[in-house]
Amino acid sequence: MDTDYSVTSTDANDKIIPMFSFGAAIALQDNITFGEAKQLLLPASGCSLEGYAPNGTPLTDSDLLGTCSFLSSTKDGIIVSQAIFLMMGDLDGNGLVNASDALMALQHSVQLIELDEFQWAAADVDGSESVNASDALTILQYSVGLIDYCVGGM
């Protein structure tokens, strides 16, 4: 597939800085709406961008992107590129990090539920390559404002 969008930022002199192009997974650090994401994406000529919730429901500009939300870039009705989003700590894909996400991480750590690969990646907030009670605690602390970042070292 062709990559037809890229995420950019600008420096102090308003010079455009490419951050990444997509065709795989994009990591989110903060809550962002689909409308805000579209402002960051630079479309290729003739392409349109559509966003979808994890259950496949089309996103509106005010909907939050969360883990397993995805974008499809189309040209003449044909999908030319797709990207899936990953927000650390957001296991249920609602675009927020809250106590239900911490509960899911804890339930997975004691083998009560299985997480898919994207949920698992969003749950491993300490980077230990396992989802454990420490991850659940970090997610919960972040969700109630006790810590500033859900991912160590950010």
Side-chain angles (χ1 to χ4, degrees):
M1 287 187 181
D2 296 330
T3 300
D4 57 9
Y5 286 87
S6 61
V7 176
T8 64
S9 184
T10 55
D11 65 13
N13 299 318
D14 289 326
K15 178 182 173 190
I16 295 176
I17 303 167
M19 296 171 66
F20 52 81
S21 22
F22 70 83
I26 298 174
L28 300 174
Q29 294 179 0
D30 297 310
N31 299 340
I32 185 171
T33 66
F34 176 54
E36 291 167 333
K38 289 193 307 187
Q39 298 287 325
L40 297 172
L41 299 172
L42 302 175
S45 178
C47 290
S48 63
L49 185 66
E50 299 167 357
Y52 298 92
N55 66 4
T57 303
L59 295 173
T60 66
D61 283 353
S62 62
D63 289 331
L64 289 174
L65 294 174
T67 297
C68 293
S69 295
F70 63 97
L71 298 179
S72 287
S73 173
T74 60
K75 185 171 185 174
D76 300 324
I78 299 170
I79 296 173
V80 294
S81 182
Q82 289 188 310
I84 193 160
F85 286 89
L86 176 70
M87 179 185 288
M88 296 305 291
D90 176 30
L91 280 60
D92 60 13
N94 68 354
L96 303 170
V97 177
N98 54 35
S100 68
D101 300 305
L103 177 60
M104 288 177 69
L106 187 59
Q107 288 174 325
H108 177 79
S109 75
V110 296
Q111 301 173 349
L112 290 178
I113 65 169
E114 286 293 319
L115 301 176
D116 69 29
E117 63 185 310
F118 294 104
Q119 291 171 317
W120 189 93
D124 183 22
V125 295
D126 65 6
S128 66
E129 297 187 14
S130 69
V131 176
N132 52 45
S134 175
D135 295 306
L137 177 61
T138 300
I139 293 167
L140 184 60
Q141 288 174 326
Y142 177 78
S143 74
V144 297
L146 292 178
I147 58 176
D148 292 332
Y149 295 100
C150 197
V151 180
M154 285 188 65

Short mmCIF file of all heavy atoms in Angstrom, two decimals, residues 72-140:
data_model
loop_
_atom_site.label_atom_id
_atom_site.label_comp_id
_atom_site.label_asym_id
_atom_site.label_seq_id
_atom_site.Cartn_x
_atom_site.Cartn_y
_atom_site.Cartn_z
N SER A 72 -8.72 5.12 7.50
CA SER A 72 -8.58 4.59 6.15
C SER A 72 -8.47 5.76 5.19
O SER A 72 -9.27 6.69 5.24
CB SER A 72 -9.81 3.76 5.75
OG SER A 72 -9.81 2.54 6.41
N SER A 73 -7.48 5.70 4.35
CA SER A 73 -7.30 6.68 3.30
C SER A 73 -7.79 6.03 2.00
O SER A 73 -7.39 4.92 1.68
CB SER A 73 -5.82 7.05 3.20
OG SER A 73 -5.61 7.87 2.09
N THR A 74 -8.68 6.74 1.31
CA THR A 74 -9.23 6.18 0.09
C THR A 74 -9.01 7.13 -1.08
O THR A 74 -8.93 8.34 -0.92
CB THR A 74 -10.73 5.89 0.23
OG1 THR A 74 -11.41 7.11 0.52
CG2 THR A 74 -11.01 4.87 1.31
N LYS A 75 -8.90 6.53 -2.25
CA LYS A 75 -8.81 7.30 -3.49
C LYS A 75 -9.71 6.59 -4.49
O LYS A 75 -9.55 5.39 -4.72
CB LYS A 75 -7.37 7.35 -4.00
CG LYS A 75 -7.20 8.24 -5.20
CD LYS A 75 -5.74 8.45 -5.53
CE LYS A 75 -5.61 9.44 -6.67
NZ LYS A 75 -4.22 9.78 -6.92
N ASP A 76 -10.67 7.32 -5.02
CA ASP A 76 -11.64 6.75 -5.96
C ASP A 76 -12.34 5.52 -5.38
O ASP A 76 -12.57 4.53 -6.07
CB ASP A 76 -10.96 6.40 -7.29
CG ASP A 76 -10.33 7.61 -7.96
OD1 ASP A 76 -10.92 8.71 -7.85
OD2 ASP A 76 -9.27 7.45 -8.58
N GLY A 77 -12.64 5.57 -4.06
CA GLY A 77 -13.36 4.49 -3.40
C GLY A 77 -12.53 3.27 -3.04
O GLY A 77 -13.05 2.29 -2.54
N ILE A 78 -11.24 3.32 -3.29
CA ILE A 78 -10.35 2.19 -3.00
C ILE A 78 -9.46 2.56 -1.83
O ILE A 78 -8.85 3.64 -1.81
CB ILE A 78 -9.49 1.83 -4.23
CG1 ILE A 78 -10.40 1.41 -5.38
CG2 ILE A 78 -8.49 0.74 -3.89
CD1 ILE A 78 -9.68 1.26 -6.70
N ILE A 79 -9.37 1.67 -0.82
CA ILE A 79 -8.49 1.91 0.32
C ILE A 79 -7.05 1.81 -0.14
O ILE A 79 -6.63 0.79 -0.69
CB ILE A 79 -8.76 0.91 1.46
CG1 ILE A 79 -10.18 1.11 2.00
CG2 ILE A 79 -7.73 1.06 2.58
CD1 ILE A 79 -10.61 0.06 3.02
N VAL A 80 -6.29 2.88 0.08
CA VAL A 80 -4.88 2.88 -0.32
C VAL A 80 -3.95 2.81 0.88
O VAL A 80 -2.78 2.50 0.74
CB VAL A 80 -4.54 4.11 -1.20
CG1 VAL A 80 -5.26 4.03 -2.52
CG2 VAL A 80 -4.84 5.41 -0.49
N SER A 81 -4.46 3.11 2.08
CA SER A 81 -3.63 3.05 3.28
C SER A 81 -4.53 3.00 4.50
O SER A 81 -5.63 3.55 4.49
CB SER A 81 -2.71 4.28 3.35
OG SER A 81 -1.88 4.22 4.48
N GLN A 82 -4.06 2.33 5.53
CA GLN A 82 -4.77 2.30 6.80
C GLN A 82 -3.78 2.43 7.94
O GLN A 82 -2.62 2.05 7.80
CB GLN A 82 -5.56 1.01 6.99
CG GLN A 82 -6.77 0.92 6.08
CD GLN A 82 -7.64 -0.27 6.41
OE1 GLN A 82 -7.16 -1.38 6.53
NE2 GLN A 82 -8.92 -0.02 6.55
N ALA A 83 -4.25 2.97 9.06
CA ALA A 83 -3.43 3.07 10.27
C ALA A 83 -4.32 2.77 11.46
O ALA A 83 -5.50 3.10 11.47
CB ALA A 83 -2.84 4.47 10.39
N ILE A 84 -3.74 2.16 12.45
CA ILE A 84 -4.46 1.88 13.69
C ILE A 84 -3.78 2.66 14.80
O ILE A 84 -2.57 2.88 14.77
CB ILE A 84 -4.49 0.37 13.98
CG1 ILE A 84 -5.48 0.07 15.08
CG2 ILE A 84 -3.11 -0.18 14.30
CD1 ILE A 84 -5.94 -1.37 15.12
N PHE A 85 -4.58 3.13 15.75
CA PHE A 85 -4.07 3.96 16.84
C PHE A 85 -3.87 3.15 18.10
O PHE A 85 -4.61 2.21 18.38
CB PHE A 85 -5.02 5.12 17.12
CG PHE A 85 -4.97 6.18 16.07
CD1 PHE A 85 -5.78 6.11 14.96
CD2 PHE A 85 -4.08 7.23 16.18
CE1 PHE A 85 -5.72 7.06 13.98
CE2 PHE A 85 -4.01 8.19 15.19
CZ PHE A 85 -4.83 8.11 14.10
N LEU A 86 -2.88 3.56 18.87
CA LEU A 86 -2.57 2.94 20.15
C LEU A 86 -2.37 4.06 21.16
O LEU A 86 -1.51 4.92 20.95
CB LEU A 86 -1.30 2.10 20.03
CG LEU A 86 -0.79 1.48 21.32
CD1 LEU A 86 -1.73 0.36 21.77
CD2 LEU A 86 0.61 0.93 21.10
N MET A 87 -3.17 4.07 22.21
CA MET A 87 -2.99 5.04 23.29
C MET A 87 -2.60 4.27 24.55
O MET A 87 -3.37 3.42 25.02
CB MET A 87 -4.27 5.83 23.56
CG MET A 87 -4.12 6.84 24.70
SD MET A 87 -5.66 7.65 25.12
CE MET A 87 -5.84 8.71 23.69
N MET A 88 -1.42 4.54 25.06
CA MET A 88 -0.96 3.83 26.24
C MET A 88 -1.96 4.01 27.38
O MET A 88 -2.36 5.12 27.69
CB MET A 88 0.43 4.32 26.66
CG MET A 88 1.51 4.06 25.63
SD MET A 88 1.65 2.32 25.13
CE MET A 88 2.27 1.58 26.62
N GLY A 89 -2.37 2.90 27.97
CA GLY A 89 -3.30 2.91 29.08
C GLY A 89 -4.76 2.81 28.68
O GLY A 89 -5.61 2.51 29.51
N ASP A 90 -5.08 3.04 27.42
CA ASP A 90 -6.47 2.99 26.94
C ASP A 90 -6.75 1.60 26.37
O ASP A 90 -6.60 1.37 25.19
CB ASP A 90 -6.73 4.06 25.89
CG ASP A 90 -8.13 3.98 25.30
OD1 ASP A 90 -9.05 3.55 26.01
OD2 ASP A 90 -8.28 4.36 24.13
N LEU A 91 -7.17 0.69 27.22
CA LEU A 91 -7.38 -0.68 26.78
C LEU A 91 -8.74 -0.90 26.13
O LEU A 91 -8.89 -1.77 25.29
CB LEU A 91 -7.24 -1.65 27.97
CG LEU A 91 -5.81 -2.00 28.37
CD1 LEU A 91 -5.00 -0.81 28.79
CD2 LEU A 91 -5.82 -3.04 29.45
N ASP A 92 -9.76 -0.12 26.53
CA ASP A 92 -11.10 -0.33 25.98
C ASP A 92 -11.37 0.49 24.73
O ASP A 92 -12.44 0.39 24.14
CB ASP A 92 -12.18 -0.09 27.04
CG ASP A 92 -12.18 1.31 27.61
OD1 ASP A 92 -11.52 2.21 27.05
OD2 ASP A 92 -12.86 1.51 28.64
N GLY A 93 -10.40 1.30 24.30
CA GLY A 93 -10.51 2.00 23.03
C GLY A 93 -11.43 3.19 23.00
O GLY A 93 -11.78 3.67 21.93
N ASN A 94 -11.80 3.72 24.18
CA ASN A 94 -12.73 4.86 24.19
C ASN A 94 -12.02 6.21 24.11
O ASN A 94 -12.67 7.24 24.15
CB ASN A 94 -13.65 4.79 25.40
CG ASN A 94 -12.93 5.01 26.72
OD1 ASN A 94 -11.71 5.12 26.76
ND2 ASN A 94 -13.69 5.07 27.79
N GLY A 95 -10.70 6.20 24.01
CA GLY A 95 -9.95 7.45 23.90
C GLY A 95 -9.65 8.10 25.23
O GLY A 95 -9.10 9.20 25.27
N LEU A 96 -9.98 7.43 26.33
CA LEU A 96 -9.71 7.93 27.67
C LEU A 96 -8.95 6.86 28.45
O LEU A 96 -9.11 5.67 28.20
CB LEU A 96 -11.02 8.23 28.41
CG LEU A 96 -11.97 9.22 27.75
CD1 LEU A 96 -13.31 9.20 28.48
CD2 LEU A 96 -11.37 10.60 27.76
N VAL A 97 -8.14 7.29 29.40
CA VAL A 97 -7.49 6.35 30.32
C VAL A 97 -8.22 6.50 31.64
O VAL A 97 -8.21 7.56 32.26
CB VAL A 97 -5.99 6.67 30.47
CG1 VAL A 97 -5.35 5.73 31.48
CG2 VAL A 97 -5.28 6.57 29.12
N ASN A 98 -8.92 5.42 32.05
CA ASN A 98 -9.71 5.49 33.27
C ASN A 98 -9.63 4.17 34.03
O ASN A 98 -8.90 3.25 33.64
CB ASN A 98 -11.15 5.90 32.96
CG ASN A 98 -11.80 5.03 31.91
OD1 ASN A 98 -11.54 3.84 31.84
ND2 ASN A 98 -12.63 5.62 31.08
N ALA A 99 -10.39 4.09 35.13
CA ALA A 99 -10.34 2.93 36.01
C ALA A 99 -10.73 1.64 35.30
O ALA A 99 -10.20 0.56 35.64
CB ALA A 99 -11.22 3.16 37.22
N SER A 100 -11.61 1.71 34.30
CA SER A 100 -11.97 0.47 33.60
C SER A 100 -10.78 -0.11 32.84
O SER A 100 -10.65 -1.33 32.73
CB SER A 100 -13.16 0.70 32.67
OG SER A 100 -12.82 1.54 31.59
N ASP A 101 -9.89 0.75 32.36
CA ASP A 101 -8.67 0.27 31.70
C ASP A 101 -7.75 -0.41 32.69
O ASP A 101 -7.16 -1.46 32.41
CB ASP A 101 -7.95 1.44 31.02
CG ASP A 101 -8.80 2.11 29.96
OD1 ASP A 101 -9.28 1.42 29.06
OD2 ASP A 101 -8.98 3.34 30.06
N ALA A 102 -7.62 0.18 33.89
CA ALA A 102 -6.79 -0.42 34.94
C ALA A 102 -7.36 -1.78 35.33
O ALA A 102 -6.60 -2.75 35.53
CB ALA A 102 -6.72 0.51 36.14
N LEU A 103 -8.69 -1.87 35.44
CA LEU A 103 -9.32 -3.14 35.78
C LEU A 103 -9.03 -4.20 34.72
O LEU A 103 -8.73 -5.35 35.05
CB LEU A 103 -10.83 -2.94 35.95
CG LEU A 103 -11.64 -4.21 36.25
CD1 LEU A 103 -11.18 -4.87 37.54
CD2 LEU A 103 -13.12 -3.88 36.29
N MET A 104 -9.11 -3.81 33.45
CA MET A 104 -8.83 -4.77 32.38
C MET A 104 -7.39 -5.27 32.47
O MET A 104 -7.13 -6.47 32.29
CB MET A 104 -9.09 -4.14 31.01
CG MET A 104 -10.55 -3.94 30.69
SD MET A 104 -10.81 -3.12 29.08
CE MET A 104 -10.26 -4.41 27.94
N ALA A 105 -6.44 -4.37 32.75
CA ALA A 105 -5.04 -4.78 32.88
C ALA A 105 -4.87 -5.75 34.05
O ALA A 105 -4.17 -6.76 33.95
CB ALA A 105 -4.14 -3.55 33.06
N LEU A 106 -5.52 -5.45 35.16
CA LEU A 106 -5.42 -6.31 36.33
C LEU A 106 -6.07 -7.67 36.05
O LEU A 106 -5.50 -8.72 36.39
CB LEU A 106 -6.08 -5.65 37.54
CG LEU A 106 -5.92 -6.37 38.87
CD1 LEU A 106 -4.44 -6.53 39.23
CD2 LEU A 106 -6.66 -5.61 39.97
N GLN A 107 -7.24 -7.67 35.42
CA GLN A 107 -7.89 -8.93 35.08
C GLN A 107 -7.03 -9.77 34.15
O GLN A 107 -6.95 -10.98 34.31
CB GLN A 107 -9.26 -8.66 34.43
CG GLN A 107 -10.30 -8.16 35.40
CD GLN A 107 -11.59 -7.76 34.71
OE1 GLN A 107 -11.58 -7.24 33.59
NE2 GLN A 107 -12.71 -7.99 35.37
N HIS A 108 -6.35 -9.12 33.21
CA HIS A 108 -5.46 -9.87 32.32
C HIS A 108 -4.27 -10.43 33.10
O HIS A 108 -3.85 -11.56 32.86
CB HIS A 108 -4.96 -8.98 31.17
CG HIS A 108 -4.00 -9.69 30.27
ND1 HIS A 108 -4.41 -10.58 29.30
CD2 HIS A 108 -2.65 -9.67 30.22
CE1 HIS A 108 -3.35 -11.06 28.68
NE2 HIS A 108 -2.27 -10.53 29.22
N SER A 109 -3.76 -9.64 34.04
CA SER A 109 -2.57 -10.08 34.79
C SER A 109 -2.84 -11.33 35.63
O SER A 109 -1.91 -12.07 35.93
CB SER A 109 -2.05 -8.95 35.68
OG SER A 109 -2.87 -8.75 36.81
N VAL A 110 -4.10 -11.56 36.00
CA VAL A 110 -4.45 -12.77 36.77
C VAL A 110 -5.22 -13.76 35.90
O VAL A 110 -5.89 -14.66 36.41
CB VAL A 110 -5.24 -12.42 38.06
CG1 VAL A 110 -4.37 -11.61 39.00
CG2 VAL A 110 -6.54 -11.70 37.75
N GLN A 111 -5.13 -13.59 34.59
CA GLN A 111 -5.65 -14.51 33.59
C GLN A 111 -7.17 -14.68 33.62
O GLN A 111 -7.70 -15.73 33.30
CB GLN A 111 -4.95 -15.87 33.71
CG GLN A 111 -3.46 -15.74 33.52
CD GLN A 111 -2.70 -17.03 33.81
OE1 GLN A 111 -3.23 -17.97 34.35
NE2 GLN A 111 -1.43 -17.03 33.43
N LEU A 112 -7.88 -13.61 33.99
CA LEU A 112 -9.33 -13.64 33.93
C LEU A 112 -9.86 -13.25 32.56
O LEU A 112 -10.94 -13.69 32.16
CB LEU A 112 -9.94 -12.71 34.99
CG LEU A 112 -9.80 -13.16 36.44
CD1 LEU A 112 -10.40 -12.11 37.36
CD2 LEU A 112 -10.46 -14.51 36.65
N ILE A 113 -9.11 -12.41 31.83
CA ILE A 113 -9.49 -12.03 30.47
C ILE A 113 -8.25 -12.06 29.59
O ILE A 113 -7.12 -12.01 30.08
CB ILE A 113 -10.14 -10.62 30.40
CG1 ILE A 113 -9.13 -9.53 30.79
CG2 ILE A 113 -11.40 -10.56 31.24
CD1 ILE A 113 -9.61 -8.11 30.48
N GLU A 114 -8.48 -12.16 28.30
CA GLU A 114 -7.41 -12.07 27.30
C GLU A 114 -7.48 -10.70 26.64
O GLU A 114 -8.57 -10.19 26.38
CB GLU A 114 -7.55 -13.16 26.24
CG GLU A 114 -7.18 -14.54 26.73
CD GLU A 114 -5.69 -14.66 27.03
OE1 GLU A 114 -4.86 -14.13 26.27
OE2 GLU A 114 -5.38 -15.27 28.06
N LEU A 115 -6.35 -10.12 26.37
CA LEU A 115 -6.27 -8.86 25.63
C LEU A 115 -5.79 -9.16 24.22
O LEU A 115 -4.96 -10.05 24.03
CB LEU A 115 -5.29 -7.90 26.30
CG LEU A 115 -5.59 -7.51 27.75
CD1 LEU A 115 -4.45 -6.63 28.30
CD2 LEU A 115 -6.92 -6.78 27.85
N ASP A 116 -6.31 -8.40 23.23
CA ASP A 116 -5.75 -8.57 21.89
C ASP A 116 -4.39 -7.89 21.84
O ASP A 116 -3.95 -7.27 22.80
CB ASP A 116 -6.72 -8.07 20.81
CG ASP A 116 -6.93 -6.57 20.79
OD1 ASP A 116 -6.02 -5.80 21.18
OD2 ASP A 116 -8.02 -6.14 20.34
N GLU A 117 -3.71 -8.02 20.72
CA GLU A 117 -2.33 -7.52 20.64
C GLU A 117 -2.23 -6.01 20.86
O GLU A 117 -1.25 -5.54 21.45
CB GLU A 117 -1.69 -7.91 19.32
CG GLU A 117 -2.37 -7.30 18.10
CD GLU A 117 -1.79 -7.77 16.79
OE1 GLU A 117 -0.56 -7.75 16.63
OE2 GLU A 117 -2.59 -8.17 15.93
N PHE A 118 -3.22 -5.25 20.42
CA PHE A 118 -3.16 -3.81 20.60
C PHE A 118 -3.50 -3.43 22.04
O PHE A 118 -2.88 -2.53 22.60
CB PHE A 118 -4.10 -3.11 19.61
CG PHE A 118 -3.64 -3.29 18.19
CD1 PHE A 118 -4.29 -4.17 17.36
CD2 PHE A 118 -2.56 -2.58 17.70
CE1 PHE A 118 -3.86 -4.36 16.05
CE2 PHE A 118 -2.12 -2.75 16.39
CZ PHE A 118 -2.77 -3.65 15.57
N GLN A 119 -4.49 -4.10 22.63
CA GLN A 119 -4.81 -3.85 24.03
C GLN A 119 -3.60 -4.19 24.91
O GLN A 119 -3.27 -3.47 25.85
CB GLN A 119 -6.02 -4.68 24.47
CG GLN A 119 -7.31 -4.25 23.85
CD GLN A 119 -8.42 -5.24 24.15
OE1 GLN A 119 -8.23 -6.45 24.09
NE2 GLN A 119 -9.59 -4.71 24.49
N TRP A 120 -2.96 -5.31 24.60
CA TRP A 120 -1.79 -5.73 25.37
C TRP A 120 -0.69 -4.68 25.27
O TRP A 120 -0.08 -4.31 26.28
CB TRP A 120 -1.30 -7.09 24.85
CG TRP A 120 -0.24 -7.69 25.72
CD1 TRP A 120 -0.41 -8.57 26.74
CD2 TRP A 120 1.17 -7.46 25.62
NE1 TRP A 120 0.80 -8.88 27.29
CE2 TRP A 120 1.79 -8.22 26.62
CE3 TRP A 120 1.96 -6.68 24.79
CZ2 TRP A 120 3.17 -8.23 26.82
CZ3 TRP A 120 3.34 -6.67 24.99
CH2 TRP A 120 3.93 -7.45 25.99
N ALA A 121 -0.43 -4.18 24.07
CA ALA A 121 0.59 -3.15 23.89
C ALA A 121 0.24 -1.88 24.66
O ALA A 121 1.11 -1.24 25.25
CB ALA A 121 0.78 -2.84 22.41
N ALA A 122 -1.05 -1.52 24.68
CA ALA A 122 -1.49 -0.33 25.42
C ALA A 122 -1.41 -0.55 26.92
O ALA A 122 -1.25 0.41 27.69
CB ALA A 122 -2.92 0.03 25.02
N ALA A 123 -1.51 -1.80 27.37
CA ALA A 123 -1.49 -2.12 28.81
C ALA A 123 -0.08 -2.18 29.38
O ALA A 123 0.12 -1.91 30.56
CB ALA A 123 -2.20 -3.44 29.05
N ASP A 124 0.91 -2.53 28.57
CA ASP A 124 2.28 -2.69 29.07
C ASP A 124 2.95 -1.32 29.20
O ASP A 124 3.89 -1.00 28.49
CB ASP A 124 3.08 -3.60 28.15
CG ASP A 124 4.49 -3.86 28.65
OD1 ASP A 124 4.74 -3.70 29.87
OD2 ASP A 124 5.35 -4.21 27.82
N VAL A 125 2.45 -0.52 30.14
CA VAL A 125 2.90 0.86 30.25
C VAL A 125 4.30 1.00 30.84
O VAL A 125 4.95 2.02 30.66
CB VAL A 125 1.90 1.73 31.05
CG1 VAL A 125 0.58 1.83 30.31
CG2 VAL A 125 1.70 1.22 32.46
N ASP A 126 4.79 -0.04 31.52
CA ASP A 126 6.15 0.05 32.07
C ASP A 126 7.20 -0.54 31.14
O ASP A 126 8.39 -0.53 31.43
CB ASP A 126 6.23 -0.59 33.46
CG ASP A 126 5.97 -2.08 33.49
OD1 ASP A 126 5.83 -2.70 32.41
OD2 ASP A 126 5.90 -2.64 34.60
N GLY A 127 6.76 -1.08 30.02
CA GLY A 127 7.69 -1.61 29.02
C GLY A 127 8.39 -2.89 29.44
O GLY A 127 9.42 -3.25 28.88
N SER A 128 7.80 -3.62 30.37
CA SER A 128 8.43 -4.84 30.88
C SER A 128 8.18 -6.05 29.99
O SER A 128 8.66 -7.14 30.29
CB SER A 128 7.91 -5.14 32.29
OG SER A 128 6.52 -5.45 32.23
N GLU A 129 7.43 -5.88 28.93
CA GLU A 129 7.04 -6.95 28.01
C GLU A 129 6.13 -7.98 28.68
O GLU A 129 6.08 -9.13 28.28
CB GLU A 129 8.26 -7.60 27.37
CG GLU A 129 9.04 -6.60 26.51
CD GLU A 129 10.17 -7.22 25.72
OE1 GLU A 129 10.22 -8.46 25.61
OE2 GLU A 129 10.98 -6.45 25.20
N SER A 130 5.42 -7.53 29.72
CA SER A 130 4.36 -8.32 30.33
C SER A 130 3.33 -7.33 30.88
O SER A 130 3.65 -6.17 31.14
CB SER A 130 4.89 -9.22 31.45
OG SER A 130 5.32 -8.44 32.55
N VAL A 131 2.11 -7.79 31.03
CA VAL A 131 1.06 -6.96 31.63
C VAL A 131 0.83 -7.52 33.02
O VAL A 131 0.45 -8.68 33.18
CB VAL A 131 -0.23 -6.99 30.78
CG1 VAL A 131 -1.34 -6.21 31.47
CG2 VAL A 131 0.04 -6.43 29.39
N ASN A 132 1.10 -6.69 34.02
CA ASN A 132 1.02 -7.15 35.40
C ASN A 132 0.33 -6.10 36.28
O ASN A 132 -0.12 -5.06 35.80
CB ASN A 132 2.43 -7.49 35.91
CG ASN A 132 3.40 -6.34 35.69
OD1 ASN A 132 3.08 -5.19 35.96
ND2 ASN A 132 4.58 -6.66 35.18
N ALA A 133 0.27 -6.38 37.56
CA ALA A 133 -0.40 -5.49 38.51
C ALA A 133 0.25 -4.12 38.55
O ALA A 133 -0.43 -3.11 38.79
CB ALA A 133 -0.43 -6.12 39.90
N SER A 134 1.55 -4.05 38.30
CA SER A 134 2.24 -2.76 38.27
C SER A 134 1.70 -1.88 37.15
O SER A 134 1.51 -0.68 37.33
CB SER A 134 3.75 -2.99 38.09
OG SER A 134 4.41 -1.76 37.94
N ASP A 135 1.44 -2.48 35.99
CA ASP A 135 0.84 -1.73 34.88
C ASP A 135 -0.55 -1.23 35.26
O ASP A 135 -0.90 -0.08 35.01
CB ASP A 135 0.75 -2.60 33.63
CG ASP A 135 2.10 -3.00 33.08
OD1 ASP A 135 2.93 -2.10 32.84
OD2 ASP A 135 2.31 -4.21 32.89
N ALA A 136 -1.34 -2.11 35.87
CA ALA A 136 -2.70 -1.73 36.29
C ALA A 136 -2.65 -0.57 37.27
O ALA A 136 -3.44 0.38 37.17
CB ALA A 136 -3.42 -2.92 36.90
N LEU A 137 -1.72 -0.62 38.23
CA LEU A 137 -1.58 0.45 39.21
C LEU A 137 -1.18 1.77 38.54
O LEU A 137 -1.75 2.83 38.84
CB LEU A 137 -0.56 0.08 40.29
CG LEU A 137 -0.28 1.14 41.34
CD1 LEU A 137 -1.54 1.48 42.12
CD2 LEU A 137 0.84 0.67 42.27
N THR A 138 -0.26 1.71 37.61
CA THR A 138 0.18 2.92 36.90
C THR A 138 -0.98 3.53 36.12
O THR A 138 -1.19 4.74 36.13
CB THR A 138 1.35 2.60 35.95
OG1 THR A 138 2.44 2.11 36.73
CG2 THR A 138 1.79 3.83 35.18
N ILE A 139 -1.75 2.68 35.43
CA ILE A 139 -2.90 3.17 34.68
C ILE A 139 -3.91 3.82 35.61
O ILE A 139 -4.42 4.91 35.34
CB ILE A 139 -3.55 2.02 33.86
CG1 ILE A 139 -2.59 1.55 32.76
CG2 ILE A 139 -4.89 2.45 33.27
CD1 ILE A 139 -2.99 0.23 32.10
N LEU A 140 -4.18 3.19 36.75
CA LEU A 140 -5.13 3.74 37.71
C LEU A 140 -4.62 5.07 38.28
O LEU A 140 -5.38 6.04 38.37
CB LEU A 140 -5.40 2.75 38.84
CG LEU A 140 -6.45 3.17 39.85
CD1 LEU A 140 -7.81 3.40 39.18
CD2 LEU A 140 -6.57 2.12 40.94
#
